């Protein structure tokens, strides 16, 4: 065959598909407990929406977006993240009125043109939550705890929760000035840094090439106003009282422009160099900037593939409840119709006792031996054999595929 999945994309099947859907299923249960409601937005949006909200000098907008024109020359983009779409939907559908609790979650594919490696793909899945309309540091703390609960649900216990505050515009203005002054004194900044220094000096802090050179760099904590300082301390003390182990990390700036005050990441070293499993923060200005009523907000996004990589050795992958496979075989071809309708009935009604089962067969035109071989291949636990003499007496044979013993059972008994 001449076709391959596009670079950086994957087919998800078998155990990985089971793991992904169990993760999503558990996430839905946890979201419900925290009062979050689902929202599904389009996979593509007006490209300008992302440019405007994520920021022109961010990695996503500078080099990672899949942008295309449709047949009417509209400039669209495959969504690289969920927050911008959600805020657009919040404003457009007046969700502040119809869903006043303001707690939303989303689950789905995101697209970024990146260099593919373990835990970094061009199409990947995120599970994210956004808490709109609540300015309290308690909302920040709840969002962090909620993200942590999702990781606990797949057995991840070792995690590194990093929290920082980027302050409000006022604190950031002063910090920015100090940063520019400082960075101008650093030699040999990389090309990206030089460019960003002009437009967005905060992003220089985030540079993966240069950050080791930044000794004595100004600290944001020295520039926080009293309100920002107090809210940050309250977030930290709420986390502490909820038993969340965190590290306050002044180096954490995050790659998206819309954040204000709290930003956080949850990392795990089980994923190698792509170690951020969850990232998020507060973005009090975005709703207003996109044309809505000023609405404070805080949220996070979790990368499902990375989380599942980190859950490889936690026992999560051994926890799938596999259903018992039952194969329906026919020893005599003329019983095919009866066997078929029995299989349908069994699928609809299940077994007595309510055990989880999956039903396979019957197949026609195959010898009993080859039917039994197939039953072994799919790891059927039992095979129910329709044979003429037994069937005429209202019975069939139930074969235990492990020890190959068989018993006659009355048809009504199953
Ligand atoms: P990174 O620094 O690793 O590039 P990011 O800051 O770009 O991450 P966010 O935009 O905050 O990441 O996305 C939140 C989460 O989504 C990340 O912590 C990660 O788990 C996941 N994620 C981001 N980009 C990818 C990708 N290309 N492939 C797989 N997962 C990703
Ligand atoms: Mg990135």
């Amino acid at each position: 065959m001449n076709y391959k999945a596009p670079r950086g994309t994957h087919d998800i099947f078998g155990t990985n598909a089971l793991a992904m859907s169990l993760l999503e299923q558990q996430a839905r249960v946890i979201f419900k407990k925290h009062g979050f409601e689902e929202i599904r937005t389009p996979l593509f949006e007006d490209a300008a929406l992302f440019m405007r909200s994520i920021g022109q000098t961010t990695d996503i907008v500078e080099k990672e977006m899949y942008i295309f024109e449709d047949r009417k020359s509209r400039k669209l983009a495959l969504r690289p993240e969920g927050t911008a779409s959600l805020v657009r939907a919040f404003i457009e559908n007046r969700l502040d009125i119809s869903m006043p609790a303001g707690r939303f979650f989303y689950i789905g594919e995101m697209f970024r043109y990146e260099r593919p490696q373990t835990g970094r793909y061009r199409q990947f899945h995120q599970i994210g939550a956004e808490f709109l309309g609540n300015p309290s540091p308690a909302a920040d703390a709840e969002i962090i705890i909620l993200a942590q609960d999702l990781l606990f649900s797949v057995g991840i216990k070792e995690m590194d929760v990093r929290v920082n505050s980027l302050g409000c515009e006022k604190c950031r203005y002063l910090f920015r000035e100090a940063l520019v002054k400082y960075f101008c004194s650093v030699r040999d900044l990389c090309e990206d840094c030089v460019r960003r220094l002009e437009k967005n000096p905060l992003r220089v802090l985030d540079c993966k090439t240069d950050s080791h050179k930044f000794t004595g760099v100004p600290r944001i904590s020295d520039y926080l106003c009293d309100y920002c300082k107090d809210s940050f301390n309250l977030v930290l003390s709420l986390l502490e009282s909820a038993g969340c182990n965190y590290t306050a990390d002044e180096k954490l700036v995050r790659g998206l422009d819309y954040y204000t005050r709290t930003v956080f990441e949850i990392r795990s070293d089980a994923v190698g160099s792509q170690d951020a499993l969850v990232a998020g923060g507060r973005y009090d200005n975005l709703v207003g900037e996109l044309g809505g009523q000023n609405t404070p907000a805080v949220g996070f996004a979790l990368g499902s593939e990375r989380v599942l990589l980190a859950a490889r050795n936690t026992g999560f992958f051994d926890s799938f409840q596999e259903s018992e496979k039952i194969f329906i075989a026919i020893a005599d071809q003329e019983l095919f119709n009866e066997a078929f309708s029995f299989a349908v009935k069994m699928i609809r009604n299940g077994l007595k006792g309510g055990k989880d089962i999956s039903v396979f067969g019957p197949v026609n035109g195959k010898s009993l031996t080859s039917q039994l071989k197939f039953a072994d291949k799919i790891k059927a636990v039992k095979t129910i054999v329709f044979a003429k003499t037994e069937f005429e007496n209202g019975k069939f044979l139930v074969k235990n595929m492990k020890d190959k013993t068989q018993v006659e059972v009355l048809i009504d008994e199953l």
Side-chain angles (χ1 to χ4, degrees):
M1 189 184 70
N2 293 324
Y3 300 107
K4 280 190 170 157
R7 190 167 142 77
T9 70
H10 292 276
D11 303 304
I12 303 173
F13 52 89
T15 324
N16 290 328
L18 281 173
M20 181 75 84
S21 58
L22 187 58
L23 164 67
E24 294 177 351
Q25 209 175 307
Q26 293 182 167
R28 289 192 152 87
V29 173
I30 294 168
F31 280 131
K32 201 174 195 176
K33 289 190 193 171
H34 283 265
F36 283 65
E37 296 179 62
E38 183 163 14
I39 176 161
R40 300 189 191 205
T41 62
L43 294 193
F44 58 88
E45 301 265 358
D46 192 338
L49 169 71
F50 300 117
M51 293 171 175
R52 176 73 208 273
S53 48
I54 298 167
Q56 290 291 348
T57 53
T58 58
D59 282 347
I60 294 180
V61 171
E62 278 181 347
K63 43 193 179 195
E64 296 174 358
M65 286 226 284
Y66 278 93
I67 297 188
F68 60 99
E69 276 190 6
D70 72 3
R71 288 164 194 275
K72 290 265 164 67
S73 303
R74 295 180 190 93
K75 201 170 166 195
L76 301 169
L78 295 182
R79 63 180 186 191
E81 57 109 54
T83 305
S85 310
L86 191 137
V87 169
R88 197 257 321 125
F90 178 78
I91 299 169
E92 186 173 339
N93 300 294
R94 298 301 321 260
L95 296 183
D96 50 337
I97 292 165
S98 58
M99 294 168 83
R103 299 171 191 223
F104 305 95
F105 75 88
Y106 59 86
I107 296 179
E109 293 80 357
M110 302 296 159
F111 306 86
R112 296 185 193 178
Y113 191 84
E114 300 206 64
R115 201 165 64 81
Q117 47 196 298
T118 311
R120 190 175 292 285
Y121 315 107
R122 290 185 175 174
Q123 176 173 329
F124 60 99
H125 293 76
Q126 281 187 342
I127 300 178
E130 314 291 350
F131 192 163
L132 284 95
N134 187 340
S136 164
D140 308 40
E142 179 167 359
I143 276 289
I144 295 172
I145 286 161
L146 169 52
Q148 222 184 3
D149 284 350
L150 297 185
L151 300 182
F152 290 147
S153 81
V154 293
I156 299 173
K157 292 192 193 83
E158 299 293 314
M159 57 183 93
D160 178 9
V161 181
R162 299 272 165 153
V163 197
N164 192 20
S165 172
L166 300 179
C168 58
E169 302 90 272
K170 270 185 271 167
C171 331
R172 212 138 19 136
Y173 181 79
L174 299 174
F175 181 50
R176 232 176 131 109
E177 284 196 327
L179 276 181
V180 174
K181 206 161 154 197
Y182 169 83
F183 286 132
C184 288
S185 71
V186 179
R187 289 173 167 217
D188 301 328
L189 284 180
C190 74
E191 244 176 66
D192 278 347
C193 283
V194 172
R195 198 166 31 84
R196 284 171 178 164
L197 186 51
E198 262 179 46
K199 292 184 180 159
N200 189 353
L202 233 74
R203 293 277 294 123
V204 179
L205 279 178
D206 206 18
C207 177
K208 282 168 186 126
T209 337
D210 284 345
S211 57
H212 67 280
K213 298 179 188 162
F214 302 158
T215 44
V217 66
R219 299 150 60 98
I220 179 75
S221 55
D222 293 331
Y223 296 84
L224 293 184
C225 66
D226 286 346
Y227 180 81
C228 288
K229 217 179 273 171
D230 288 348
S231 355
F232 188 46
N233 286 332
L234 186 50
V235 174
L236 299 184
S237 79
L238 289 171
L239 289 177
E240 217 159 281
S241 40
C244 166
N245 282 325
Y246 64 84
T247 308
D249 179 358
E250 297 228 36
K251 290 220 180 81
L252 185 69
V253 290
R254 306 277 318 117
L256 294 83
D257 276 0
Y258 50 61
Y259 289 117
T260 48
R261 295 197 189 91
T262 311
V263 288
F264 73 97
E265 265 183 27
I266 305 181
R267 303 170 185 166
S268 148
D269 46 21
V271 206
S273 60
Q274 313 309 327
D275 58 0
L277 304 179
V278 181
R282 181 165 277 287
Y283 50 97
D284 286 346
N285 303 323
L286 186 61
V287 182
E289 275 169 21
L290 293 180
Q293 298 271 357
N294 281 338
T295 307
V298 55
F300 73 81
L302 161 161
S304 302
E305 284 83 357
R306 280 192 208 172
V307 167
L308 292 177
L309 279 171
R312 270 281 157 196
N313 299 313
T314 64
F316 176 66
F317 279 74
D318 310 318
S319 71
F320 306 143
Q321 287 279 329
E322 276 228 41
S323 54
E324 207 166 82
K325 290 177 178 160
I326 296 185
F327 187 74
I328 314 277
I330 42 174
D332 297 284
Q333 291 298 324
E334 70 240 47
L335 293 176
F336 184 72
N337 274 18
E338 281 80 3
F340 180 83
S341 64
F342 178 82
V344 171
K345 218 189 281 170
M346 202 168 186
I347 290 167
R348 288 184 178 154
N349 302 338
L351 273 184
K352 276 191 186 150
K355 228 189 257 166
D356 250 0
I357 53 166
S358 306
V359 181
F360 297 77
V363 281
N364 60 358
K366 294 259 191 260
S367 71
L368 186 58
T369 320
S370 87
Q371 291 177 58
L372 292 176
K373 257 191 206 154
F374 180 74
D376 275 333
K377 205 160 144 184
I378 62 166
K379 299 202 172 68
V381 179
K382 283 185 193 135
T383 296
I384 297 175
V385 186
F386 278 69
K388 210 169 165 195
T389 332
E390 286 79 6
F391 187 73
E392 277 162 5
N393 296 320
K395 290 176 181 165
F396 36 51
L397 297 166
V398 177
K399 211 174 172 72
N400 180 325
M401 299 306 284
K402 235 187 218 144
D403 57 20
K404 306 294 178 204
T405 54
Q406 63 181 37
V407 284
E408 279 188 10
V409 176
L410 281 171
I411 291 187
D412 293 339
E413 265 173 29
L414 270 186

